[in-house]
Amino acid sequence: MTLAAATNENLAQFSNSLIYASMAVFTLAFFAHIAEWVFGSRSKVGRTAAALTGAGTAAAASAAPAVKVRQEGGGTAVLDKPKIVTRSAAGTRDVPDGPGAAGGTMKGDLYGRIAVSLTVLAFLIEASGVVTRAVAVQRAPWGNMYEFSTTFSTVAVGAYIGFLLARKNVRWIGLPLVTTVLLDLGVAVTWLYTKSDQLVPALHSYWLWIHVSTAIFCGAVFYLGAVGTLLYLFRDSYENKLARGGNPGPFARSVLERLPAAASLDKFSYRINAAVFPLWTFTIIAGAIWAGDAWGRYWGWDAKEVWSFITWVAYAAYLHARATAGWKGRKAAYIGLAAFACFLFNYYGVNIFVNSLHSYAGV
């Protein structure tokens, strides 16, 4: 083994160590997010008192409407409960956004900030692992499923942090995101790990950087949209039960009432899916151009190509349903989740269970 090869192998092992280190920090972030939800599960009376006395985050205090005092008969002062309302589409409910995982409590918010800080640290470690892998293999670090998985989770967390930096109300994604990232990395290092190696000639193209990088970014953002859509369905059921005069259980009240309103979750999912859909269209076009350079044909109905197109059709159907009367809301949400399921099968199912021209890199 030459000195250069030995150096690259050492870098690959160091990259793998960084991935394991990021998993350890993500685990700490997972428990911090759990603590945020646990300590934020105070009663409605407790959270209302916290809002009235100015407890909670500075951002929440600045965003909350001023508390109004009115005089009842006999000179009794009554404090009206502050309410933040998300205006939804015509014909739907106007429901207040929940106070978030921290529940408006100082201790819950403290654990939430710790969780976000740990998530940022884990992201930096994992991103370093991906970059180190790229240096070790001297190419784009997504030539097989192991590299794709580690890069995918890095981009997903990076997108989440980007929303936080933009001051978007997305901290509620933290727990499902960190949980999914841990599962993704666990599968990657346990079953998908592949030693660093060079690619087959068909992959030696600048289109690898363009096509696969956009596919990873689209998948990461589609994932955030899918989380929002799934939580929308739970929150919408919760709001429907309340509207019918039902009495949800204590777990539902503790968790679902702290999420954003169903209208907010639905709007969040729609906006990011609509924003990334044109990029997914470009991803398919870029793949076709690359196929023309590598195999002499732009489209051959290969399994990966077929499922990429099915995913495109599914997301197009979702966007069309969101703009069609009678298909908004839950029906469109089901289509959105089916579209993301198509994306997942396109990645895992096609690569593992289906013979394809795209299987040259193995897992």
Side-chain angles (χ1 to χ4, degrees), residues 35-261:
E36 178 187 17
W37 282 93
V38 169
F39 286 102
S41 62
R42 295 171 57 182
S43 66
K44 287 187 176 181
V45 174
R47 281 197 300 276
T48 303
L52 295 175
T53 56
T57 63
S62 62
V67 177
K68 297 181 180 179
V69 181
R70 53 188 169 85
Q71 295 291 330
E72 295 286 359
T76 303
V78 178
L79 299 178
D80 286 337
K81 182 178 178 179
K83 195 175 191 181
I84 302 174
V85 175
T86 298
R87 293 292 172 186
S88 53
T92 58
R93 296 179 299 267
D94 285 337
V95 179
D97 280 341
T105 67
M106 296 183 67
K107 182 172 285 189
D109 183 65
L110 173 63
Y111 280 105
R113 292 176 182 273
I114 293 174
V116 170
S117 299
L118 289 171
T119 302
V120 172
L121 176 59
F123 163 76
L124 295 175
I125 296 173
E126 185 182 11
S128 300
V130 171
V131 172
T132 304
R133 176 82 174 194
V135 174
V137 296
Q138 298 180 354
R139 56 170 172 78
W142 41 73
N144 50 60
M145 288 183 68
Y146 167 77
E147 295 173 356
F148 191 101
S149 295
T150 54
T151 307
F152 174 85
S153 58
T154 303
V155 175
V157 176
Y160 166 68
I161 295 172
F163 279 118
L164 290 176
L165 291 175
R167 299 188 180 277
K168 301 298 182 181
N169 177 25
V170 296
R171 207 161 82 182
W172 46 270
I173 299 180
L175 181 56
L177 172 65
V178 170
T179 304
T180 306
V181 167
L182 283 172
L183 291 174
D184 174 69
L185 293 179
V187 170
V189 299
T190 304
W191 291 294
L192 302 180
Y193 180 74
T194 304
K195 290 185 177 181
S196 59
D197 199 359
Q198 291 304 309
L199 301 176
V200 296
L203 289 182
H204 284 289
S205 170
Y206 59 88
W207 285 106
L208 174 66
W209 291 91
I210 300 172
H211 172 64
V212 183
S213 63
T214 54
I216 292 173
F217 180 79
C218 289
V221 179
F222 280 149
Y223 163 77
L224 297 180
V227 172
T229 301
L230 184 63
L231 293 180
Y232 156 75
L233 292 173
F234 285 112
R235 173 75 188 202
D236 185 62
S237 296
Y238 174 76
E239 292 178 6
N240 285 334
K241 191 168 187 177
L242 290 178
R244 294 193 303 266
N247 185 28
F251 178 79
R253 285 189 176 276
S254 174
V255 175
L256 296 179
E257 73 176 6
R258 284 183 279 160
L259 291 175

